[in-house]
Every structure is written in C-alpha cells, then in structure tokens.
Amino acid sequence: MKGVCFLLTLAVLALATSIATASDPSPLQDFCVAAEDFFFSGLNTPRDTNNPVGSNVTQLNADKIPGFNTLGISLARIDYAPYGQNPPHIHPRGSEILVVVKGTLYVGFVSSNQDGNRLFTKVLKEGDVFVFPIGMIHFQFNPDHTPAVAFAGLSSQNAGVITIANTVFGSNPAINPDILSRAFQVDKNVINYLQKQFWYDNN
C-alpha cells in the first residue's frame, strides 16, 4: 500500500511539474490600451548627421513605442554622413540585424577574447543584410562621398547601447588614468588627452 501511495504521489508531482513548465517563458502581459502605443510616424525623414561622428541613430524601443513592451523587439534608423560612422559599440541585451537602404557601408564586429578577437567585416550595398551577435563590439562606416541610410532590428525591447570610446574615456567620474595607461599600454599623457575630449553620443 505504501508503494502505491508513493507512486501515486510521484505521478501527481510529475503531472503538476509538466503543467507548471508548459507555459511560455517570456514575460507576457496584455497589450497597452491605446492604438498610439503601437505607432510611430516619421522614420522616413533623414536625420541631422552634422556631428563629430557623422551619424545619427533614431532608436525606436519600448521608451518610444510602449507597444514594444514585452515583445522582445525594437528598431532603429541610422543616417550616415559621407565618411560618417557609427563608432564601435555593443548592445548588451540584444542581437542586431542591419539592412542598408541607401548607399554603401563597411561593417564589422569583433569576436570574444576566447575566440581570439577575430574581426568579421563586409562591404554592404543597398539591400544587403548583416547580423551583429549580442554583446559583440561592432561598427558601421560610410566609405563614400554620398550619404547612407540603414535600418536595424534588435532582439530586445530595449537592447541598450554602450559606445566604447565614450564609456572608457568619457566616464563620469573619469577612470583613473594609471589604470587606462597600463590597459592600453600608452603614456599617461595620451590618456589624459583622450579623457579631455568631448565624446559625442549619436543615439
């Protein structure tokens, strides 16, 4: 009798566990109440690229379109001036797929230390697509004398962005120059110079 009770208890626990784990692992909620929460207008309008890096990123994430909340997606338009760039950066919470809709872009990402920091690059023309894996340092550069435009989809409602130069040399308060001097193996005067620069945020 004890054996039957044990088996029955085990069967009930197994059934309860299978029911409990049969749900969607994503954080779900009912959608927002207003149609405007799912809408944005004007992504066809070119953005101002007259800045130190020569690009302008228009991010559409859950902060701009509340309807993105819990969907795990977001979108960006990137405008590039002639010879402009989207400087090396990472997205800590999402991968990115980029499609060029105007002009030419030289793009690439660097793999992790464990993979030998390999550089993967490609020259993209209109209609070409490139994928940047989550957390990898990547960049885009317009090598032409005419403007370029790309759209990027990201696998997060708010993928975040960390621009490498801004973060390392423009932190507030500043990272101790002795640390950076040793890390980059350059004279401390070089670090002091870099920390005094204005690091522009194109996002």
Side-chain angles (χ1 to χ4, degrees):
M1 185 66 179
K2 286 183 178 179
V4 172
C5 287
F6 174 75
L7 288 175
L8 185 58
T9 303
L10 190 60
V12 169
L13 286 173
L15 181 61
T17 302
S18 69
I19 292 170
T21 59
S23 64
D24 192 323
S26 300
L28 299 176
Q29 70 175 28
D30 286 338
F31 45 80
C32 305
V33 294
E36 295 301 312
D37 289 340
F38 297 89
F39 175 79
F40 180 89
S41 181
L43 211 55
N44 60 321
T45 306
R47 285 1 192 220
D48 182 13
T49 57
N50 186 22
N51 59 58
V53 295
S55 69
N56 190 322
V57 179
T58 305
Q59 292 189 41
L60 297 182
N61 53 34
D63 293 336
K64 299 266 180 72
I65 301 178
F68 276 147
N69 191 29
T70 76
L71 298 184
I73 57 171
S74 56
L75 179 70
R77 173 188 171 123
I78 309 124
D79 289 272
Y80 307 85
Y83 311 109
Q85 64 171 291
N86 192 6
H89 62 282
I90 67 167
H91 302 293
R93 294 183 295 275
S95 296
E96 175 181 347
I97 184 166
L98 182 93
V99 59
V100 178
V101 296
K102 179 182 177 183
T104 301
L105 290 177
Y106 170 71
V107 305
F109 71 89
V110 180
S111 69
S112 67
N113 294 5
Q114 293 78 8
D115 190 51
N117 302 118
R118 291 188 297 155
L119 175 63
F120 297 84
T121 64
K122 197 77 175 170
V123 175
L124 305 180
K125 304 289 186 183
E126 291 179 14
D128 289 345
V129 172
F130 196 84
V131 175
F132 304 103
I134 185 171
M136 297 287 113
I137 293 177
H138 61 284
F139 61 88
Q140 302 106 35
F141 169 68
N142 177 5
D144 286 347
H145 62 278
T146 56
V149 179
F151 286 90
L154 297 113
S155 63
S156 169
Q157 69 182 36
N158 190 350
V161 62
I162 299 171
T163 306
I164 306 306
N166 300 34
T167 304
V168 174
F169 300 112
S171 67
N172 184 18
I175 298 173
N176 184 317
D178 292 323
I179 294 170
L180 296 180
S181 175
R182 188 163 191 176
F184 286 94
Q185 300 176 36
V186 296
D187 188 271
K188 195 162 92 170
N189 290 330
V190 174
I191 300 300
N192 289 331
Y193 171 78
L194 290 170
Q195 287 183 325
K196 289 177 183 172
Q197 303 309 302
F198 171 71
W199 296 99
Y200 182 80
D201 180 10
N202 64 337
N203 287 272

